[in-house]
Amino acid sequence: MELTTIKDAFDRVNKKQKLSSSKSQEVIDQVGREIEQALEKIQSADDPTSPFDQKSILTDLVLELNAIDPLHQLEGPQKELNLNLSKYQKLLERFFNPDISKAYRNVDFDLHIVNQILASHFYQEGLFDLGDSILNEAGEPEATVLKSQFLDMHQIIEAARLRNLEPALKWASTNREKLKQNGSKIELKLHQLQFLDVLQKGTRADAVIYARTYLAPFYSLHKKEFQKLMCCLLWAGRIGSAPYPEITSPSHWENLTEELTREFCSVLGHSYGSPLGVAISAGIEGLPTLLKLVSVMSAKKQEWQAMKQLPVPVELGKEFQFHSIFVCPVSRDQGSEENPPMLMPCSHVLCKQSMMKLSKSGTRSFKCPYCPAEISVGQWRQLYF
Amino acid sequence: MDSLSNGAAAATIATRTTPITTTPAPPSSKLAHLTESLKLEHQFLRVPFEHYKKSIRADHRVFEKEMSAVISGVTEAADADVSKDDAVHHLSSLVSKLQGLKRKLEGGSRIENLQAQRCRARLDHLESADAENLTDWNNTRLKRILVDYMLRMSYYDTAAKLAESNNIQDLVDIDVFQEAKRVIDALQNKEVAPALAWCADNKSRLKKSKSKFEFQLRLQEFIELVRAENSMRAITYARKYLSPWGATHTKELQRVMATLAFKSNTECARYKVLFEPIQWDFLVDQFKQEFCRLYGMTLEPLLNIYLQAGLSALKTPYCYEDDCTKEDPLSQDNFRKLALPLPYSKQHHSKLVCYITKELMDTENPPQVLPNGYVYSTKALEEMAKKNNGKITCPRTGLICDYLDLVKAYIS
């Protein structure tokens, strides 16, 4: 990247600044010395009544100082410094985009909403004092409910990190129905980890008691796991050598925090990643395209502020695809309820309107625009993504 | 009944497979993305540079001023008839003046070194961004953006806490905003002196950008004199400080002068507004703008710029539907409200996300169609078939069919 060029330019600025600053020190010393010398001469002058001598010393000093010309001495280094300063600034403007607000639409974000978003971001990340602090400084009401939810989550996760599963298990049993709806296996997983822990540290009898009390209810839904877990009893005290790495692998503990966070957020109706983080990353990926778009549009004197839809696609990474969007390859229209995607027997897909056009409103067969297949009337069906 | 339990199984796959969604993109595009996003970091380098430049300029001005004073001091002494004692006294005072200047410049040079270090730290930080391992770097960037927002909104404590707890003080502009804080605090207390001092400090640059901030401050001071019914002083003030702006800002000057005829309790709307406390808020906003412009910052907080761009890029009609996935920020009311005035994104090509796995359906994971027209990804259907002896259950309609009944869909 061109960063090395920029770094070099900055080093030059820095060098010139140091040069100029040492030069000014030098000049100050020089002038100071001259004055001190004159001072000494005046003080050591023999005849106190002769003003002439003192006067000539002072006149000499003036001449001397004029010869030194301190301001002029600094001109050179200053000029070079200024040159490098403006060079560096121009370099920054050339390599970077000097105004990334060009694509900004002049709509003011509601301050309260933004502050609430920030506070919940901090809470979700477990930075509770920052969340409180910003609400306090912004004079916003406290978000007690949200905070207590995330506080619970972080306490449970912190405990789990220290291999204390009690809080997590308690939470899982309270939210059993919701977790079941989400198809989550987290409760079984927690009991499984706890059971193996008992087996490793305690006696076989303890483990059997644990299994009877807590694992038995899972038998009907998870027979296979249950059987494997019970077989682990044979390897009590040396779980690591049991032939079920999918159950006994220590990676289960490592992944537990992430899994718990995911399940917890899902039960709360929250996203796993901070929505603010997701939106900002999308913005960073999308902004370069938007900036280019704006510069093209302003060159053509087109209006940017009022558009209902962006005129060009902003490509974002896979992680930002949350919805299925069908775009008809013929008409380039986005699929909708009135104009849904239709599958032809040759497996190509068009939108309904394009299909109607090609088939003259469903009255005659036509050739698929993408392959030689002949499509007769009524051979198509609607798709649901 | 059967369909229900299968639906649950399908959802299980969803929760289990989501963590693997980030399959690595080809490295070249990653690098291109990174280069593009680094280009957005102008402010990041510019602000500490402006700060540095400002100190350099200020030091040089001090040098010029003091040095000229010393030289003219010597010339004066040489021209005048003074006693020996006076001459000695005069020259010694010049010597100590020079010593003072030297100390001052030494202090200034220490500050400049720190500022140069900060500029370099930022260059190093940009250089440290590695396309293959960006998670930490991106997290820091988010924090930088948040600190920028908080500083601009004057949430200084939270900004400082966030910066300290992440050890990113060199990457954010807390000290630059200290300067702004003094002025803003004063304006909020209805004092203009620090703001005027700031204008004087940055006179030449404000003049270059044709700023009328100083004029607005002067107008406000004048209004305060009128409010205090101190008409004579108001007129003297206007002669001294407002008249120089007369040629370029006649209308505003006339309007404000007319307040002399009214009192602060006037009901005449045109003049009443000039006496309202909101004028001070305008001054604060105006100052913030001038301040940002001077330091080469964007006028809007970075957070707003990125958030707007992100929401526009993410906004689709589907985001506002009830079944919008929770992972989409636009499933949340707060984000939906912010995105309301923004344009929808546009797609030239289909982007299909599997209902079950939430993964993108592309050539590697092509979409397949059930007999009822519902489409899911090959990966999801294969897994379901493996678990259920080749049977597929549509999670949305409950339809059961054979894996062999599926057909491919070619979507370009």
Side-chain angles (χ1 to χ4, degrees):
Chain A
M1 157 105 196
E2 307 87 349
L3 269 174
T4 35
T5 329
I6 296 171
K7 272 184 145 177
D8 289 347
F10 184 74
D11 285 342
R12 277 198 292 280
V13 169
N14 193 220
K15 208 172 116 197
K16 296 290 174 199
Q17 176 252 317
K18 285 197 171 128
L19 211 67
S20 163
S21 121
S22 65
K23 185 79 195 171
S24 55
Q25 298 282 359
E26 196 181 297
V27 171
I28 292 170
D29 287 344
Q30 215 177 346
V31 172
R33 265 198 310 278
E34 291 298 335
I35 297 179
E36 271 167 4
Q37 274 168 18
L39 202 56
E40 255 171 54
K41 272 189 211 155
I42 292 175
Q43 274 169 334
S44 62
D46 288 325
D47 186 357
T49 54
S50 156
F52 181 76
D53 206 13
Q54 179 188 327
K55 186 119 191 162
S56 72
I57 295 168
L58 282 175
T59 324
D60 280 350
L61 177 59
V62 171
L63 287 176
E64 207 58 58
L65 289 186
N66 280 344
I68 295 175
D69 200 356
L71 294 180
H72 179 76
Q73 282 207 43
L74 252 282
E75 267 172 27
Q78 273 292 317
K79 207 172 157 189
E80 278 185 51
L81 175 57
N82 283 334
L83 199 73
N84 277 294
L85 282 171
S86 66
K87 250 191 200 165
Y88 182 68
Q89 188 170 329
K90 279 189 192 128
L91 207 61
L92 288 186
E93 275 162 21
R94 197 164 76 227
F95 281 132
F96 295 89
N97 193 326
D99 186 9
I100 59 168
S101 64
K102 283 228 172 73
Y104 190 77
R105 200 174 261 224
N106 277 325
V107 288
D108 278 328
F109 276 162
D110 183 335
L111 200 64
H112 305 290
I113 295 184
V114 176
N115 289 333
Q116 276 160 16
I117 287 176
L118 253 57
S120 48
H121 169 79
F122 287 136
Y123 288 146
Q124 185 165 5
E125 303 271 291
L127 305 165
F128 295 99
D129 59 329
L130 282 174
D132 290 346
S133 169
I134 193 168
L135 288 181
N136 179 29
E137 276 193 287
E140 303 280 344
E142 278 181 41
T144 358
V145 179
L146 192 77
K147 184 182 166 186
S148 71
Q149 286 173 341
F150 281 122
L151 211 54
D152 287 348
M153 176 173 105
H154 283 280
Q155 274 162 359
I156 289 172
I157 285 167
E158 199 40 50
R161 212 196 300 274
L162 302 170
R163 304 221 163 181
N164 170 13
L165 295 179
E166 281 305 319
L169 281 166
K170 206 173 146 209
W171 165 81
S173 75
T174 331
N175 293 286
R176 189 170 292 152
E177 277 313 306
K178 269 192 184 165
L179 286 168
K180 207 172 164 188
Q181 269 172 30
N182 292 350
S184 164
K185 280 195 204 168
I186 191 81
E187 199 180 355
L188 170 65
K189 185 131 189 210
L190 290 167
H191 279 301
Q192 172 181 323
L193 286 168
Q194 189 79 316
F195 169 74
L196 294 175
D197 204 46
V198 173
L199 198 51
Q200 183 76 0
K201 290 180 189 152
T203 65
R204 209 164 290 185
D206 289 342
V208 171
I209 293 170
Y210 191 89
R212 273 195 198 139
T213 340
Y214 298 109
L215 290 178
F218 290 95
Y219 175 69
S220 56
L221 272 177
H222 306 283
K223 286 184 187 120
K224 271 188 190 156
E225 284 96 334
F226 186 81
Q227 285 162 356
K228 283 181 188 168
L229 277 170
M230 293 326 285
C231 285
C232 287
L233 280 170
L234 303 175
W235 279 272
R238 47 191 183 97
I239 295 290
S241 40
Y244 309 119
E246 71 276 22
I247 283 183
T248 59
S249 153
S251 68
H252 282 305
W253 282 102
E254 285 152 32
N255 301 334
L256 188 65
T257 11
E258 193 195 312
E259 228 167 303
L260 269 175
T261 315
R262 208 174 272 283
E263 296 295 345
F264 202 102
C265 288
S266 156
V267 167
L268 283 185
H270 262 284
S271 58
Y272 169 65
S274 148
L276 179 68
V278 173
I280 295 283
S281 320
I284 287 163
E285 252 188 73
L287 192 56
T289 317
L290 291 177
L291 287 168
K292 261 179 222 153
L293 171 67
V294 169
S295 72
V296 170
M297 283 180 68
S298 66
K300 290 186 188 164
K301 297 220 161 41
Q302 279 169 325
E303 181 54 45
W304 152 258
Q305 293 284 339
M307 279 177 315
K308 286 252 182 295
Q309 189 180 25
L310 296 174
V312 294
V314 175
E315 293 297 338
L316 296 181
K318 280 183 182 180
E319 64 271 32
F320 301 110
Q321 299 298 331
F322 301 112
H323 305 280
S324 282
I325 293 165
F326 173 76
V327 180
C328 175
V330 172
S331 67
R332 293 279 166 218
D333 284 336
Q334 231 160 277
S336 63
E337 247 166 73
E338 300 81 49
N339 187 19
M342 308 294 276
L343 176 75
M344 299 182 286
C346 57
S347 284
H348 288 109
V349 184
L350 304 179
C351 73
K352 193 171 183 179
Q353 280 172 8
S354 304
M355 186 94 60
M356 283 300 134
K357 234 182 200 168
L358 288 166
S359 64
K360 307 276 179 219
S361 305
T363 55
R364 45 180 279 196
S365 61
F366 63 95
K367 189 191 89 66
C368 168
Y370 294 95
C371 71
E374 191 69 15
I375 316 293
S376 9
V377 176
Q379 270 193 325
W380 45 75
R381 56 186 167 131
Q382 190 174 334
L383 291 185
Y384 305 87
F385 293 111
Chain B
M1 190 254 125
D2 201 2
S3 76
L4 239 173
S5 73
N6 264 326
T12 317
I13 302 170
T15 44
R16 281 189 43 211
T17 39
T18 20
I20 342 169
T21 39
T22 45
T23 38
S28 63
S29 87
K30 254 192 198 171
L31 197 64
H33 263 307
L34 178 63
T35 320
E36 282 298 310
S37 69
L38 285 183
K39 282 189 184 151
L40 303 173
E41 299 282 1
H42 182 257
Q43 172 179 321
F44 183 61
L45 295 180
R46 179 71 186 271
V47 173
F49 173 65
E50 284 297 333
H51 205 198
Y52 180 47
K53 200 163 81 177
K54 204 175 156 182
S55 313
I56 294 176
R57 294 264 150 84
D59 276 355
H60 186 62
R61 267 203 304 279
V62 168
F63 173 83
E64 277 182 335
K65 200 177 136 210
E66 301 278 302
M67 196 48 107
S68 317
V70 168
I71 290 177
S72 61
V74 173
T75 323
E76 262 170 45
D79 290 348
D81 259 336
V82 285
S83 70
K84 178 182 165 182
D85 279 353
D86 280 352
V88 167
H89 182 74
H90 190 70
L91 287 188
S92 337
S93 83
L94 291 181
V95 169
S96 62
K97 200 171 192 174
L98 280 177
Q99 278 160 352
L101 172 63
K102 194 171 170 183
R103 270 196 304 278
K104 206 169 181 180
L105 289 185
E106 273 164 2
S109 153
R110 267 195 297 279
I111 291 173
E112 279 149 31
N113 283 342
L114 286 177
Q115 288 168 335
Q117 255 173 40
R118 172 156 302 180
C119 291
R120 216 170 260 133
R122 301 220 176 165
L123 283 163
D124 290 341
H125 183 70
L126 285 191
E127 208 173 40
S128 75
D130 168 13
E132 292 309 310
N133 193 6
L134 270 178
T135 321
D136 283 347
W137 202 87
N138 284 343
N139 282 337
T140 307
R141 178 172 55 192
L142 178 59
K143 281 168 193 142
R144 285 196 278 125
I145 293 169
L146 293 180
V147 173
D148 172 81
Y149 171 81
M150 294 189 281
L151 287 174
R152 288 171 192 250
M153 306 314 289
S154 309
Y155 307 152
Y156 302 108
D157 287 346
T158 320
K161 271 186 212 160
L162 179 58
E164 269 164 41
S165 57
N166 291 285
N167 212 4
I168 50 169
Q169 289 96 325
D170 262 349
L171 308 181
V172 292
D173 301 310
I174 291 176
D175 52 342
V176 171
F177 272 92
Q178 288 298 330
E179 178 188 325
K181 183 179 185 295
R182 271 195 296 278
V183 177
I184 293 171
D185 286 351
L187 285 177
Q188 275 162 349
N189 288 325
K190 304 196 172 22
E191 289 167 35
V192 287
L196 285 171
W198 184 83
C199 286
D201 259 358
N202 300 287
K203 203 170 181 177
S204 63
R205 295 202 50 201
L206 288 175
K207 210 169 167 186
K208 223 188 213 164
S209 63
K210 297 211 172 66
S211 156
K212 57 174 188 176
F213 179 55
E214 189 189 337
F215 181 51
Q216 284 166 321
L217 290 169
R218 299 286 184 196
L219 291 183
Q220 190 62 39
E221 270 207 308
F222 177 81
I223 289 286
E224 294 307 318
L225 287 173
V226 175
R227 195 198 305 274
E229 300 190 15
N230 212 335
S231 303
M232 284 321 287
R233 268 190 64 199
I235 293 169
T236 329
Y237 186 88
R239 280 201 187 128
K240 188 164 175 195
Y241 296 113
L242 299 186
S243 57
W245 299 82
T248 41
H249 299 82
T250 324
K251 277 253 168 68
E252 283 149 291
L253 182 59
Q254 283 168 346
R255 180 173 170 210
V256 128
M257 289 309 292
T259 57
L260 281 170
F262 298 87
K263 277 189 177 177
S264 55
N265 55 7
T266 176
E267 282 306 314
C268 178
R270 191 172 150 75
Y271 301 105
K272 191 183 173 193
V273 62
L274 291 175
F275 289 101
E276 276 168 12
I278 195 158
Q279 295 293 340
W280 287 98
D281 298 338
F282 288 151
L283 284 177
V284 171
D285 287 344
Q286 189 65 33
F287 169 71
K288 283 184 180 170
Q289 297 237 325
E290 299 289 351
F291 181 81
C292 291
R293 194 171 293 136
L294 224 61
Y295 274 102
M297 296 179 202
T298 53
L299 298 188
E300 298 296 330
L302 295 178
L303 179 80
N304 295 21
I305 294 174
Y306 286 124
L307 203 51
Q308 232 195 42
L311 292 176
S312 300
L314 289 173
K315 189 176 168 185
T316 67
Y318 307 103
C319 299
Y320 286 83
E321 282 174 10
D322 291 337
D323 63 348
C324 175
T325 160
K326 292 184 299 267
E327 297 303 320
D328 184 348
L330 281 162
S331 66
Q332 292 197 7
D333 268 347
N334 274 341
F335 285 91
R336 285 181 179 176
K337 277 187 208 149
L338 293 185
L340 222 46
L342 302 178
Y344 285 104
S345 65
K346 164 129 186 159
Q347 304 296 337
H348 278 176
H349 300 285
S350 299
K351 292 260 164 61
L352 302 178
V353 178
C354 173
Y355 179 86
I356 300 173
T357 63
K358 310 293 177 207
E359 282 183 280
L360 208 60
M361 297 191 269
D362 49 19
T363 43
E364 284 159 41
N365 186 20
Q368 305 227 40
V369 187
L370 270 55
N372 61 359
Y374 281 74
V375 182
Y376 303 100
S377 70
T378 307
K379 246 190 222 171
L381 294 169
E382 268 176 2
E383 192 157 335
M384 201 191 287
K386 218 191 287 170
K387 282 197 175 163
N388 300 293
N389 303 322
K391 289 281 179 228
I392 300 292
T393 309
C394 174
R396 281 177 286 182
T397 63
L399 175 97
I400 302 174
C401 66
D402 209 84
Y403 187 75
L404 300 170
D405 296 339
L406 306 178
V407 291
K408 266 195 189 137
Y410 297 119
I411 292 174
S412 48

